[in-house]
Amino acid sequence: MSLHDLLAAQIAANGPIRLSDFMADCLLHPEFGYYTTQEPFGASGDFVTAPEVSQMFGELIGLSLAQAWVDQGSPSPFALVEFGPGRGTLMADILRATKGVSGFHQAAQIILLEASPNLRAIQGETLRVYTPAWIDAVDQLPAIPIFAVANEFFDALPIRQFVRDGSGWRERQVGLDNDTLVFGLGPDSPQPALAHRLEDTKDGDLVEECSAASPIINTLGLRIKHHGGVALIIDYGDWRSLGDTLQAIRDHEQVSPLDQAGQCDITAHVDFEAIANAVPCQYSRVTPQGVFLERLGITQRAQALAQNMTEDALHSHIAAHRRLTHPDEMGNLFKVIGLYPEGGSPPAGLEK
Ligand code: SAH
């Protein structure tokens, strides 16, 4: 049995399924899901995320969070939270970089939101000395100040896709052609949640919607509003996207999302407009990752680290700096938005 066989049987019995249901099973099916069964990250995995490119990414995020914590009066206790921590590399770098911030570690309760038992075990190994706690859902966050980061978490939340048809929409579905999974379109139906997209689309245009993101942002933002803290949300995407951004990656190559259910990473661009609309506290301007990291001093940090490097290590360090910041690499594709309380300031690296 494979995920493909399971989904094919389900579709044969009950008809086509929503893309969001397909994506949820592909990523997190308890037995066959990609995050539940594989270790996707790093050069030997399927893709490389920013914290896996260089330790500088996590160090600068850590300093931004710690600066916000000091600016808000060093509250104790507080929750140091990561959404979707992967291998735990980002949190490990945050913690190493903030060791010298007086009282920060003592006041921190480290909380990881992670759905995959497999990745929880790896995170537990990476962060063994820090005794993190795991939660299954954002509403389990404690009622204390929250200093949070999410890198490439929201892009993994299931999306739905709709194709404009007059003033209605037809949902893109996953169906079956003989034994092959194929895309198709459902019947025309009104979509009140897409009313604002009638203004910038024409017949045949495809738009995406991630209904799982808003309640998470809302709950996180309410904690920050009532108890203080900040959140840094980093992901690829833009302010309102248009067109099909669904992407499947295996072994660093793009593959068809339907061909290898559960065997490849499936993500979609994050719609930062939808994120901003769901924020119940203050939020910063959406800022390109390269600009954010430059403002936090990545070049100075890169130069300091380079002092002790030669040859191959130096070469890959320079490439990593470029990869994180250059507009042709991750610098512009990835964006950052910060959440902060009323009357507070955006986290370092971001502006109102
Ligand atoms: N932040 C890490 C990993 C990004 S991959 C990095 O930058 O390297 C996405 C992460 O989010 C994985 O850890 C995955 O298991 C987790 N994840 C995806 N969907 C989730 C969900 N609905 N709830 C909790 N965790 C989820």
Side-chain angles (χ1 to χ4, degrees):
M1 194 65 161
S2 67
L3 185 58
H4 172 275
D5 297 343
L6 197 78
L7 291 171
Q10 191 184 325
I11 294 166
N14 305 318
I17 58 172
R18 284 180 175 170
L19 176 59
S20 53
D21 293 333
F22 173 77
M23 197 171 160
D25 274 343
C26 284
L27 294 180
L28 288 170
H29 186 281
E31 202 179 336
F32 300 114
Y34 180 69
Y35 292 128
T36 17
T37 58
Q38 322 247 339
E39 195 192 328
F41 314 98
S44 61
D46 290 313
F47 58 93
V48 180
T49 56
E52 306 291 340
V53 169
S54 165
Q55 67 184 73
M56 296 186 289
F57 183 78
E59 289 172 348
L60 295 168
I61 302 274
L63 295 179
S64 177
L65 292 178
Q67 182 65 55
W69 178 75
V70 170
D71 290 346
Q72 292 186 24
S74 309
S76 176
F78 77 96
L80 181 61
V81 179
E82 185 173 355
F83 289 75
R87 289 209 292 207
T89 307
L90 173 55
M91 185 54 85
D93 290 337
I94 289 173
L95 287 163
R96 196 187 55 259
T98 53
K99 230 180 241 162
V101 180
S102 174
F104 189 74
H105 281 207
Q106 292 82 336
Q109 294 178 7
I110 297 158
I111 299 181
L112 310 174
L113 174 76
E114 174 58 63
S116 158
N118 188 30
L119 290 175
R120 280 187 184 201
I122 295 168
Q123 292 153 17
E125 201 47 45
T126 312
L127 299 168
R128 205 175 36 241
V129 292
Y130 299 107
T131 57
W134 283 268
I135 57 172
D136 302 313
V138 66
D139 57 8
Q140 293 166 3
L141 284 176
I144 57 177
I146 304 289
F147 291 79
V149 62
N151 184 62
E152 292 212 49
F153 169 77
F154 285 93
D155 68 3
L157 297 181
I159 59 154
R160 292 166 72 185
Q161 292 183 327
F162 297 90
V163 175
R164 172 109 182 242
D165 186 356
S167 57
W169 300 90
R170 297 180 67 187
E171 182 158 7
R172 207 163 175 224
Q173 300 175 322
V174 179
L176 206 55
D177 181 12
N178 293 315
D179 190 38
T180 308
L181 296 174
V182 290
F183 282 121
L185 288 180
D188 189 0
S189 65
Q191 295 293 335
L194 294 177
H196 66 297
R197 299 311 302 265
L198 291 174
E199 65 193 39
D200 71 326
T201 54
K202 56 182 185 332
D203 250 8
D205 280 350
L206 185 150
V207 301
E208 298 177 334
E209 190 221 66
C210 178
S211 57
S214 303
I216 296 175
I217 289 291
N218 185 257
T219 306
L220 172 64
L222 284 174
R223 287 289 197 286
I224 291 172
K225 182 178 173 134
H226 296 308
H227 304 286
V230 295
L232 291 169
I233 291 158
I234 307 153
D235 231 306
Y236 79 134
D238 220 326
W239 191 264
R240 191 182 290 205
S241 69
L242 181 64
D244 178 11
T245 73
L246 192 74
Q247 175 175 284
I249 298 281
R250 183 171 190 181
D251 203 9
H252 306 271
E253 301 284 340
Q254 212 152 326
V255 296
S256 154
L258 300 184
D259 280 355
Q260 307 182 30
Q263 307 290 313
C264 53
D265 188 42
I266 303 186
T267 58
H269 281 207
V270 169
D271 180 350
F272 281 88
E273 180 186 35
I275 299 269
N277 285 339
V279 174
C281 53
Q282 299 289 107
Y283 59 87
S284 74
R285 221 178 267 190
V286 174
T287 304
Q289 173 173 299
V291 173
F292 170 71
L293 293 175
E294 287 299 350
R295 284 185 186 149
L296 291 174
I298 193 168
T299 300
Q300 290 86 330
R301 180 67 184 133
Q303 283 163 351
L305 286 169
Q307 303 273 303
N308 303 320
M309 292 179 182
T310 51
E311 309 210 1
D312 284 359
L314 183 59
H315 192 72
S316 57
H317 174 61
I318 292 167
H321 174 250
R322 184 189 150 89
R323 184 143 182 212
L324 290 176
T325 57
H326 197 280
D328 292 342
E329 304 219 25
M330 298 174 87
N332 205 29
L333 178 62
F334 282 74
K335 309 287 193 306
V336 189
I337 188 170
L339 276 54
Y340 59 99
E342 313 288 330
S345 328
L350 299 174
E351 312 176 321
K352 279 194 182 148

